[in-house]
Amino acid sequence: MRQEKAVRTYKAKCQVADVQDPSEQQVHRMIKYQLTGKSHHKMYSKVEKASSGRFGLASDYLPPIITHVFLVIGIVTFQWNVFEILLIYVIEIAVITLLFSFAALFAAQPIDGRDAEKWKRKPNPIRTIPFLPPVYRRNVGVVVKQFLASLFYLSFIFIAVVDFIEQSILSLLSSSAGLAVLVIFITQAARVWQQFLADQSYRERSPAEAIKAAQKPLGEAVFLLLFVIAPITFVLGITAIAVAGDGGEIELDAVETGVVLLLYVIPIGVFRVWLQDAEITIID
């Protein structure tokens, strides 16, 4: 009974999205995906399944965990400095914003409560690249608008980081940092694929869901700056003053600098994992 209801719902949504009638094989694959939440043919899904069963982690938790594992390894093993850490964080935000904004173009379901007449009309799918889903014309305007808004805020972060670094970006991208960036891109691309593209899941998604995921890192950045980075900086500053005494200066060697960076990176990683269930956005 549950499966028959899911089949009817899925076929109805296909008609709303103005896509071709799905084959029986496509229907059963999608219903299996809906009822079990599994995608067996992707390596990333296998990793998620294993981690979900053993550690209770969902797919949204894995990318920040992987990112911060690489950051800790980079600090401990390759003596990454604060500039490399900041650059990797900014690149990660840019990658998430770009990939999820791209995925929003393929979402077939309407956006609730936004320009009702426009979203009630039949969508006009445009077939672009053979191995990708069709782009829905009605999605383009809202996606471009939200992407430009995200880009506006991201540009402020990027300019501030570049001004603070006072070095060329390429000079900071060592082979180890480049590997971390590549891993970040792969994990986020796999996340986008699993949530919006695999098993034609874009038919069940609206652009609002992808846009929300694209904008979330900006909200996280503001939260972390105010409630994690600022308090840690305050505590370390007070500690440094107490240790140095009047007029004293503290010079940190490579090991001590690494410890200070870990005091930032590890709490940031913990809070980022915790924030995956939170509703955070700075763009309406």
Side-chain angles (χ1 to χ4, degrees):
M1 180 65 69
R2 183 186 176 195
Q3 183 167 347
E4 291 176 358
K5 182 179 179 181
V7 169
R8 290 196 300 271
T9 302
Y10 176 59
K11 287 186 175 181
K13 288 187 175 183
C14 287
Q15 292 176 354
V16 170
D18 195 29
V19 296
Q20 295 179 348
D21 291 336
S23 65
E24 289 301 316
Q25 182 181 6
Q26 290 174 324
V27 170
H28 287 296
R29 187 169 63 247
M30 174 56 76
I31 298 310
K32 184 178 181 181
Y33 179 78
Q34 290 177 326
L35 296 178
T36 66
K38 299 176 183 176
S39 179
H40 299 286
H41 64 286
K42 295 298 178 185
M43 181 174 65
Y44 185 78
S45 297
K46 292 179 181 178
V47 173
E48 183 201 358
K49 180 182 175 184
S51 62
S52 298
R54 184 171 299 180
F55 304 110
L57 299 174
S59 62
D60 284 344
Y61 294 88
L62 289 177
I65 291 174
I66 292 172
T67 296
H68 285 82
V69 166
F70 265 84
L71 290 176
V72 170
I73 293 173
I75 293 169
V76 173
T77 306
F78 301 104
Q79 287 78 52
W80 286 356
N81 57 38
V82 64
F83 305 133
E84 290 172 299
I85 302 297
L86 285 173
L87 182 61
I88 289 173
Y89 276 133
V90 172
I91 290 175
E92 183 186 32
I93 293 174
V95 166
I96 294 172
T97 301
L98 178 63
L99 290 179
F100 277 96
S101 297
F102 180 68
L105 295 171
F106 308 118
Q109 296 303 311
I111 298 179
D112 295 332
R114 180 187 284 266
D115 197 1
E117 282 302 317
K118 170 186 174 181
W119 294 99
K120 281 180 180 178
R121 293 197 299 266
K122 262 194 171 184
N124 185 11
I126 306 169
R127 179 64 66 177
T128 52
I129 303 174
F131 60 86
L132 286 177
V135 171
Y136 290 87
R137 190 185 299 274
R138 67 185 183 185
N139 296 1
V140 174
V142 66
V143 171
V144 170
K145 178 183 175 183
Q146 297 297 328
F147 177 73
L148 291 177
S150 298
L151 197 61
F152 175 77
Y153 287 99
L154 185 59
S155 64
F156 279 101
I157 298 175
F158 183 78
I159 291 171
V161 169
V162 170
D163 186 60
F164 176 69
I165 290 174
E166 295 182 346
Q167 298 181 40
S168 68
I169 301 300
L170 293 178
S171 67
L172 294 174
L173 279 178
S174 60
S175 57
S176 57
L179 177 62
V181 170
L182 177 62
V183 170
I184 287 171
F185 182 86
I186 291 173
T187 55
Q188 293 297 340
R191 180 181 165 212
V192 169
W193 176 265
Q194 185 190 43
Q195 294 182 6
F196 289 91
L197 299 176
D199 293 316
Q200 299 180 332
S201 52
Y202 62 90
R203 291 180 172 179
E204 299 292 317
R205 299 284 196 168
S206 78
E209 295 174 90
I211 290 170
K212 180 181 174 182
Q215 295 175 346
K216 188 171 184 179
L218 292 169
E220 284 183 2
V222 174
F223 179 92
L224 293 169
L225 179 63
L226 295 177
F227 299 105
V228 181
I229 297 174
I232 291 174
T233 302
F234 177 78
V235 171
L236 290 178
I238 295 297
T239 303
I241 292 172
V243 171
D246 294 337
E249 294 184 0
I250 297 179
E251 294 185 4
L252 302 178
D253 59 24
V255 173
E256 292 168 336
T257 301
V259 171
V260 171
L261 288 176
L262 291 175
L263 290 176
Y264 282 98
V265 167
I266 293 175
I268 288 173
V270 171
F271 272 90
R272 284 192 63 198
V273 172
W274 175 68
L275 287 172
Q276 295 310 303
D277 289 330
E279 300 285 338
I280 298 178
T281 182
I282 62 173
I283 304 173
D284 187 9

